Every structure is written in structure tokens, then in C-alpha cells.
Amino acid sequence: MMQRSGLTAVVFAVCSGFMPGASVLPGSARLGRVGAKGAGIGSLSMQANKDHDILLRVAKGEKADRTPVWLMRQAGRYMKEFKAYSNKYPFRVRSETPEIAIELSMQPFRAFGTDGVIMFSDILTPLPSMGIEFDVIKGTGPVIPTPIRSMDQVERLTPIDDPDKTTPFLRTILETLRKETEGKATLLGFVGSPFTLAAYAVEGKANKNCFETKKMMYNDPAVMHAFLDHISDNIANYAIHQINCGAQVVQLFESWAHHLGPMDFEVFAKPYAQKAIAKIKAAHPDTPIIYFANGGSSYLERQRDMKSDMIGIDWEVDMKVARETLGQDVPICGNVDPLVLMGPHEKIRQSVRDCITAAGGHTHILNLGHGVIEATPEEAVGVFVDEAKQFKYSGDKAPAMV
């Protein structure tokens, strides 16, 4: 198990006085909900309370009078308020200091009135609990100094059997966020899917070819399968803990699905995601699970029988095709191209309307097909959320194009 003394000391050093400036104003006062002509519209708190559980209900497959909305990476560096923290504190200090993580999680809700609040964290956060140390280096991303390359290393991994001991900050973050969002929005937790976590740990950092991982898959498959099996069991435990602490929906991120062809997905990703989801659902059968395979739209048909309650769709497939491929009875989430948010407001609004219409106006949560990028104007996110809340799908309307 890793030693945390250095990080812990830094975390405690900032806990008592981490605020990097003046008190944060509510987002509605700073930006407002942007209308067709850029005017602020209404009270954010009233808007949010009206449909406080709409995302949760739709994630369960229930009907609603509009499409709920949240965005992957909605708490991020595109926000000025967020940068006040990211420019001052390292990533793990931000994500493992409850006061900071709670603040960053709530910023996009206050600013834009999203129907979901997702905790600020990282898919790699549970790795140290399994004996795999990591850090996030600004300008580089996640780095794992001792990559997993052998069966001996896999056999020495530790179980996540007491998350309150190995990730003590998590309970405070989620319990507080649940109180903050009660009657206002749905609280989402998340984990990395087993293949993605294994690939990160084998590579040691992001690699465009997934070179070391595929070498292991094809030359030492027993090592890879043993590693995936360990992660599957323990990431499920970590997700179960998130639900125990207050998460109402959990998303599994298969962030590196784009590195896998259809057959490799069937062998190395899908079975272990299914195992994790089944274990989570056995513990919490009423908590919706979303499975999002980034770059997996080329084999959507192989995701039709996932044990999750909802399938996340990336932006590389037409939503109508995704709906037809998965079937009308499979709830879906997505899938506007994140770069649409760099366009004019009417293009953003039309893209929202097109996506909702293509999804059929039911059992659909609007999202981007990937995370918000750093260069995105904050106002564009406000327009995206506003249009989702204003648009009411009518079956006799065809999507208009801009």
C-alpha cells in the first residue's frame, strides 16, 4: 500500500484556508441563464427545484416532460471560478480535500442549473487503495510511476475492503454534496471501467497506441485477465461505497474504448465491466448505472445487452443511428459534439434540439459526446443547458439543420 504522508500533509495545510480569493458568487448572479438574445432568465434556484429528480427518474427509464441535462467534465478549467483553484492547488489536493472538491462540484450547478451534479474526482482516485500510486501532473496528465507489467505485481495488489480508511475524504464529499443537492438536482458518482483503469496502470500514462497494454493482451493474456479481474471486483466495491455515501446515479467511464476493436472489446473490456456492474446492482438494485464507452460507437450493437441501466453515446455516431442500433427500449445519454459549444448560440441550440429529437424525446439524458474542453466559453454551456430545459420534444417535428 502506498504511503500518503506527503499528500496528507499538503491537504491538511490547505483545509483551513484554501479559498483563493473573495467569496464565490452564485453562478446565476454572475452569468444567468442566457436566452435567445443573451438576457438573463429567471431564478436559478426556482428552475432547479422544479425538476430536482428528473435526471434520476429518466436514468431509471421513467418518462418526463422534458429531457434532463448534465455535461461530462462540467466541473473544469473552462470556468473562471474553477481556475482560481486549479492554478493554485495540485489536482489531488483539489480532489481529496473535501471543502475544495465540494466547491468545484457545485460550481457548474450554481452557474448553469444542470439537472445533475457530479462529484469532482478522477477515475484513478481508487488506484492507491489497490497499491498503485499515481499523480496528475499539470500539462502532462496522470502519471503512474510504477506501471503494472507482471503477474507478481498483480498478485501483490490489495483489495478495496475499507474505503473509509483508504479514501476517507470520499464520504465527506458525497454526504455533503447530497445535502447540498437534495431537492435541487441528482448527485452522480463515477468510476473508471476495469479495462480503462488497467490500461492506465499498464502504460503508466496516456499513450496514443496503448502499446504496453496491447503487448500484454496479446503476449501475456493471463496477466491482463488477472489484473482486470482484480480491478473489476474492487472498482465495484468503490462504486458501492459511493452509493452508500449518497450518490444517486453512477457512471462507468470506459475512457479508452477507442483503443479496442470489437473483438478485443468482447474479450478484455465488456466481461469485466459486466462483472463490476452486476456486483454494484446486486448491492444497490435501484441505483441507475450508466456505461459510457468513449470511441465505442463503432460496436454499439455489442453494448445492447450491457447490465447497466443506460448507455452513454459518444459524438462520433448519429443519435438516431445509436437509438436504432440499441433499440427504443434502451435508455441513452449523449451525444452532442463538444466542439459545437465553440459555435454561435443558435448552432448550439439547434444541436440540442436535433439531438433530443433524434433520440426520440424519451429515456434520454442530454450530454456531450465527450467532456467539455478547456477553451469552451462559459456562456456556451449556459446556452446548451438553457435550450435543453426550454425544448419540448414533439413527435411530429423533424430536426432542423443550421
Side-chain angles (χ1 to χ4, degrees), residues 45-249:
S45 60
M46 292 176 63
Q47 297 285 347
N49 284 329
K50 179 178 179 292
D51 293 320
H52 67 94
D53 63 346
I54 188 171
L55 191 152
L56 177 61
R57 289 187 283 112
V58 172
K60 290 181 175 182
E62 300 176 16
K63 293 182 178 180
D65 62 1
R66 67 166 176 85
T67 299
V69 57
W70 71 283
L71 299 86
M72 289 182 281
R73 215 177 290 151
Q74 64 186 28
R77 288 178 293 172
Y78 73 98
M79 294 188 72
K80 183 179 179 180
E81 290 179 347
F82 184 97
K83 284 185 177 179
Y85 293 84
S86 64
N87 290 338
K88 187 172 183 178
Y89 302 109
F91 179 85
R92 289 190 62 182
V93 171
R94 284 179 277 135
S95 63
E96 299 181 20
T97 303
E99 294 90 338
I100 301 178
I102 292 162
E103 165 63 21
L104 297 180
S105 302
M106 292 298 295
Q107 283 177 356
F109 171 73
R110 292 198 305 259
F112 313 118
T114 52
D115 293 307
V117 170
I118 186 165
M119 71 167 179
F120 178 73
S121 187
D122 192 88
I123 61 172
L124 303 187
T125 296
L127 288 186
S129 300
M130 290 184 264
I132 304 170
E133 179 59 285
F134 82 98
D135 200 358
V136 179
I137 309 300
K138 192 170 184 178
T140 300
V143 174
I144 294 171
T146 307
I148 303 299
R149 302 281 172 83
S150 70
M151 185 65 83
D152 180 63
Q153 286 177 292
V154 172
E155 290 174 347
R156 286 189 280 113
L157 295 175
T158 51
I160 300 179
D161 51 13
D162 188 359
D164 276 327
K165 181 179 180 180
T166 57
T167 51
F169 47 85
L170 191 65
R171 181 176 294 278
T172 302
I173 292 168
L174 284 169
E175 287 184 346
T176 304
L177 284 173
R178 183 62 182 274
K179 292 175 183 176
E180 291 287 328
T181 57
E182 193 69 36
K184 300 174 184 176
T186 297
L187 177 60
L188 295 96
F190 69 93
V191 295
S193 204
F195 172 78
T196 293
L197 293 178
Y200 257 119
V202 171
E203 296 298 328
K205 59 182 179 180
N207 183 289
K208 66 179 181 179
N209 295 312
C210 219
F211 184 76
E212 294 292 342
T213 305
K214 290 198 170 183
K215 276 176 57 180
M216 184 182 288
M217 287 162 52
Y218 304 142
N219 294 288
D220 295 300
V223 178
M224 178 58 75
H225 285 296
F227 191 20
L228 288 165
D229 196 58
H230 182 90
I231 293 175
S232 181
D233 266 333
N234 288 284
I235 206 64
N237 292 342
Y238 186 66
I240 290 166
H241 182 64
Q242 290 185 22
I243 298 168
N244 291 341
C245 293
Q248 297 169 284
V249 176

Side-chain angles (χ1 to χ4, degrees), residues 297 300 304 313 317-327 332 335 358-359:
S297 55
L300 267 178
R304 190 183 295 121
I313 312 296
V317 62
D318 186 279
M319 180 57 87
K320 185 177 181 180
V321 173
R323 178 64 94 181
E324 291 170 351
T325 301
L326 291 169
I332 53 178
N335 74 329

Side-chain angles (χ1 to χ4, degrees), residues 232 269-279 305-308:
S232 181
K270 184 177 179 178
Y272 298 99
Q274 294 281 60
K275 181 180 179 181
I277 294 168
K279 187 173 183 179
D305 62 347
M306 294 298 295
K307 298 180 186 296
S308 58

Side-chain angles (χ1 to χ4, degrees), residues 25-38:
L25 291 174
S28 56
R30 178 179 54 80
L31 179 62
R33 296 180 60 229
V34 182
K37 297 183 179 179

